[in-house]
Amino acid sequence: MEDLTTGPVSRHLLKTSSFMLVTMVFQTLYFLVDLYWVGRLGKEAVAAVGIAGNLMFLVLAMTQMLGVGTTTLVSHAAGSRDRDRALLIFNQSLLVSVLAGLVYFAVSMATRLGYAHLQAADSMTEKLAGDYLQWFIPAMALQFVMVAMAAALRGTGNFKPGMVVQTATIIINIVLAPILIFGWLTHHPMGVAGAAVATFVAVAIGSVWMALYFLPKDSFLKFTPADWKPMPSLWAKILTIGLPAGAEFGLMGVYVFAIYTITRPFGSAAQAGFGIGMRIVQSGFMPVVALGFAVAPVAGQNFGARRGDRVRETFRTALIWGGAIMAVFAVLCHVATRAMIQVFSSDPQVIAVGEEYLKIVSWNYIASGMVFVCASTFQAMGNTVPSLMASFLRVVLIVVPAFILARLPGFQLSWIWLVSVVAVLVQLAVCLLLLRREFATRLKFADDGPQPADALEILETEAITPAAGALAGTEG
């Protein structure tokens, strides 16, 4: 465990962000390399992977429910020096992740073909999406356990194992993808399914590797069979904190589902252009995602240690860094848009859609980066409901107008991108207002307040009813 409650906050943020950023850089490289190879198979293959990738938002939603709750409660326990509590939370989180992964696998495999038929613009795209999902779904099911283990380690301030394992699995994926897609060495090309098989193999190796970090006797967190007895009350605490954060990714899935539905009449070229644009945006957001992963444990441990001043300092520092990072990416998307799209497709229609998408949505990058920092700060304090409220508002402000606009004569996809820019600005304003209220009500720690162990109990009691905090944040 690393103590994040003393020493310069900026140093902790920089150190923890650096560990995560290494992983994110390789994750970005994976996104782009994978898309590059799939792009060699044609626009239908790109559209198919994009459609199948929508399920990733469902996985992100479910794993965030577990990961956010685990990181928050483990960081609170670590901040109050309660190792037994941290062990219990970790092992119960592991148990829930296994059950959730099994449920996801069963349901997704049973519905994968129907989903592909519903979203695809043509029969070829539908077939390729089904082939990809056959291996992509098992890979995503394994992510549940892997995420739970990495989240628990982050709660203790230990980012290195996650960085090492995830970076290694991404490298494995990058190497295997073209071999399996085109049949290099094997002489048995698998096409788009090969990309999914590469992901499955990499995640399987990573899951086993991550588990090895919990085996040494001196590990702060360990597999403890005595703590594997189901404890629904603790599950409720983990999920109560994590549910709103997971729901945010679920809302993103709703957004992507709506966009693919609206773009369906425009053909596979439009879906491919949007899919490429989304991958580039995801890649560009990796640095601020790494920053967000650092904010949660740094602010979380200080919240558990009742250091409200350091929680505020963490937020302010991260907000400035996040805005600056996204400003650079926004400029890049304006000066090199076409060049970025052309790396993945030479189809003029695909390029046109992707270029238009990036140039417009880049106007909300700075606001989006600041929103992400706000969400991580809400997570650190154990109340993610306000962040969910803001995300729900954003999705409503995009999806509802999008379906209305799609019925109008002369409808163009650019109209949706413009609406999204306004929606994100509204989301940021709401987040800042709610976070200001949260700081005023939840960071009033008296100098002679309870000792850490007692404080932890109080914090967990508050975490069970985050809705109350959200309602308080809307008063006045």
Side-chain angles (χ1 to χ4, degrees), residues 13 16-25 154 159 285-297 325 372 376:
L13 280 176
T16 52
S17 295
S18 298
F19 279 125
M20 290 304 302
L21 186 57
V22 172
T23 302
M24 296 303 171
V25 167
R154 286 198 303 272
F159 284 72
F285 266 72
M286 288 301 174
V288 80
V289 170
L291 179 62
F293 275 123
V295 168
I325 290 169
F372 200 93
S376 298

Side-chain angles (χ1 to χ4, degrees), residues 44-92:
E44 290 83 6
V46 174
V49 171
I51 289 171
N54 291 349
L55 289 182
M56 185 180 294
F57 287 105
L58 175 60
V59 175
L60 286 172
M62 298 174 70
T63 54
Q64 279 292 297
M65 287 169 56
L66 296 169
V68 167
T70 300
T71 297
T72 300
L73 292 182
V74 169
S75 69
H76 289 177
S80 64
R81 307 298 189 271
D82 191 343
R83 187 194 178 202
D84 290 339
R85 183 66 173 170
L87 282 171
L88 178 63
I89 293 167
F90 163 63
N91 282 276
Q92 287 295 307

